[in-house]
Amino acid sequence: MDTTLDRLADFIAATRFAQLPEPLVAQAKRHLLDTLGAALAGCDSPIWRECRALVAEEGGSTVAQLWGCAQQASPRQAAWLNGVAAHMYELDDTGGCDHSGAVVLPALLAALPLATQPVDGRAFLTAMVVGYDIGRRVLEACGGYAAHNGAGWHSTASCGVFGAAAAVSCLLRLPAAQCASALGIAASFSGGLWGFIHDGSHTKKLHAARAAEGGVQAALLAQRGISGPAAVFEARWGGFLQTLAGETQQPAALTAQLGEVWKLARCSIKPYAACRGTHAAIDALGLLLEQHAVATGDIARIVVGLNPFLLEMCGTRELTSLAAAQMSLPYALTARALYGSAELASYDDSRRLSAEAAALMARVELEIDHQQGRDDEPWVRLETVQGQQWQQHVAVPSGSPANPLSDAALRAKYRSLAARVLPAAQVQQLETLCLTLDNVADVRQVAVLLATR
């Protein structure tokens, strides 16, 4: 019987580089570079250092490179720790599972030592594209981002594990039957809740890591003959969609235009160190400030009209932890107005906890716009103490495929982040390697350049 799972497994096992459109390959290399930059910056964080200490205490084999340091670990541990780094500062890409880069790439690079022969850049990029594709398709089958995340699941974890399993299965050239088992096993590894949003706790930083680790483990178990349930996507009790998305599921999305519409093509590269839900509003406020040359002291109010889902997700004013601040739309706008940017430096303790930031954030007001749907971007109105008012709406935020970062902006972002950990020459070498990866004979060169000396 030709099931949905069979078709997905055949796609994972059979997809080859020659099938990928040239613009998609170029985009994949951009996302690789962007993810590695975000991850290297994440290696310069206290949370990551604590996680690395845990990995060191566990011990085990040392064949996979840990990024941003000299140590190695087991493939599972490397996928987990590098996933923590990639999602640490909210600078990784979005629009896939949601944060596909932070899930798929740690899993793939951790699995490199397990390949029976060197993996060339074309095979690696193919596996990357397949991972992005499957992770996004699972999210769409759950009803889409707003429905699935609105129900309390964090899709980076709950759907990302499928993307990681698919990517590693493709990289290791598993036969279709084992690819099917890997997806079935991944379904039981799925999880991840939005509970962190209420107190700024750190679990969001662990979700990409757990999905990457679970994907590696699922593929390796399948390779050893461990079976996963064949009816994982069927409308039966105990199935993934039936359990996690019983009321919103759209199973046809799993295979709709499979191999024709590539989901990586819809993914975005983030210019700001904040939740993607804040980006359109940051863009809108930036346009208003640039167009009207309003001084910070002349701002009476910044009013944002948004939908209830975005208010629930990004309406927090809790700034005690960096994790909380990066989910705060009021602070993102405060940072843009006060510091000129919502870049990572604007989230330093000295800036986000300053009296000036508190005073300006008190003038940021969020109100429900009942005309907006759950996927609509907010509008921003800037009001001055002189009584002037201007309103702006950005429908397609910067970094989106329809409004992409320039190559110069992408490279500048990568360099500023990678330089936190690596010397300048190594930063440049890694950049060149990523952007020419389709001509690289052995991707292990990437892992070497991600290590400190």
Side-chain angles (χ1 to χ4, degrees):
M1 182 174 66
D2 183 27
T3 67
T4 295
L5 183 61
D6 291 330
R7 293 194 289 277
L8 293 176
D10 288 341
F11 169 74
I12 296 166
T15 299
R16 294 294 181 264
F17 182 81
Q19 299 168 242
L20 307 184
E22 188 174 332
L24 186 72
V25 173
Q27 185 177 355
K29 291 185 289 186
R30 282 170 54 93
H31 280 258
L32 171 62
L33 182 71
D34 183 68
T35 300
L36 295 183
L40 287 166
C43 295
D44 189 33
S45 67
I47 295 173
W48 182 85
R49 286 191 284 272
E50 289 300 323
C51 290
R52 186 180 68 172
L54 177 60
V55 166
E57 289 174 8
E58 289 178 348
S61 66
T62 55
V63 295
Q65 183 60 49
L66 300 179
W67 305 347
C69 66
Q71 286 77 32
Q72 294 184 327
S74 72
R76 282 179 59 197
Q77 291 170 322
W80 181 77
L81 186 59
N82 295 335
V84 171
H87 195 45
M88 179 58 59
Y89 285 137
E90 293 292 338
L91 285 159
D92 48 311
D93 64 17
T94 186
C97 63
D98 185 40
H99 295 278
S100 288
V103 174
V104 169
L105 290 168
L108 280 177
L109 285 164
L112 279 180
L114 305 175
T116 56
Q117 57 188 13
V119 176
D120 65 30
R122 295 187 173 197
F124 186 91
L125 289 168
T126 303
M128 175 183 170
V129 168
V130 165
Y132 272 71
D133 215 74
I134 296 298
R136 179 68 197 186
R137 288 178 178 277
V138 173
L139 175 55
E140 292 176 359
C142 289
Y145 182 88
H148 188 59
N149 288 267
W153 297 105
H154 185 208
S155 58
T156 297
S158 59
C159 302
V161 66
F162 292 95
V168 174
S169 296
C170 181
L171 186 82
L172 297 179
R173 298 289 178 88
L174 300 188
Q178 291 183 352
C179 292
S181 281
L183 293 181
I185 294 167
S188 282
F189 291 171
S190 175
L193 302 174
W194 270 89
F196 58 83
I197 198 68
H198 304 296
D199 56 13
S201 52
H202 298 145
T203 53
K204 187 174 191 287
K205 312 305 180 184
L206 308 177
H207 287 173
R210 192 64 168 171
E213 176 195 16
V216 170
Q217 181 75 338
L220 295 183
L221 289 169
Q223 187 179 40
R224 289 178 172 270
I226 306 299
S227 63
V232 65
F233 294 123
E234 306 303 319
R236 297 172 60 179
W237 181 79
F240 176 79
L241 296 177
Q242 196 76 359
T243 303
L244 269 68
E247 300 300 321
T248 62
Q249 61 181 297
Q250 299 178 26
L254 286 165
T255 55
Q257 298 178 289
L258 187 65
E260 299 172 15
V261 174
W262 302 93
K263 301 302 181 178
L264 170 61
R266 72 174 312 285
C267 292
S268 302
I269 289 175
K270 297 170 68 174
Y272 309 124
C275 175
R276 184 61 173 171
T278 69
H279 285 208
I282 297 171
D283 285 342
L285 179 60
L287 288 173
L288 291 171
L289 293 171
E290 291 165 5
Q291 291 167 358
H292 303 288
V294 177
T296 304
D298 290 332
I299 297 174
R301 291 200 309 165
I302 299 171
V303 183
V304 183
L306 71 174
N307 62 65
F309 173 59
L310 185 58
L311 178 64
E312 180 72 18
M313 185 170 69
C314 296
T316 179
R317 294 174 184 268
E318 173 56 55
L319 304 182
T320 304
S321 73
L322 174 62
Q326 289 179 307
M327 299 303 297
S328 171
L329 176 55
Y331 181 73
L333 298 180
T334 297
R336 176 60 185 87
L338 189 59
Y339 304 123
S341 172
E343 64 183 1
L344 187 57
S346 298
Y347 285 82
D348 289 347
D349 288 1
S350 61
R351 290 190 170 188
R352 76 172 192 273
L353 300 177
S354 70
E356 293 83 0
L360 182 55
M361 194 167 74
R363 288 176 265 161
V364 178
E365 300 180 12
L366 309 182
E367 62 180 45
I368 296 294
D369 180 350
H370 295 286
Q371 302 301 311
Q372 292 187 24
R374 295 182 78 175
D375 295 320
D376 290 340
E377 300 291 357
W379 51 259
V380 176
R381 185 171 69 245
L382 179 61
E383 302 178 5
T384 71
V385 295
Q386 292 84 9
Q388 299 160 305
Q389 293 188 13
W390 304 281
Q391 188 163 309
Q392 182 65 256
H393 175 249
V394 173
V396 182
S398 56
S400 301
N403 186 13
L405 292 186
S406 67
D407 286 344
L410 172 67
R411 290 172 185 261
K413 176 189 172 184
Y414 159 76
R415 291 169 185 170
S416 69
L417 297 174
R420 287 171 167 248
V421 174
L422 301 181
Q426 199 167 332
V427 169
Q428 181 59 58
Q429 287 178 296
L430 183 59
E431 177 182 325
T432 301
L433 196 63
C434 287
L435 295 179
T436 59
L437 196 70
D438 44 334
N439 297 316
V440 172
D442 187 348
V443 181
R444 285 177 296 188
Q445 295 177 59
V446 173
V448 170
L449 289 173
L450 286 166
T452 56
R453 302 293 190 261

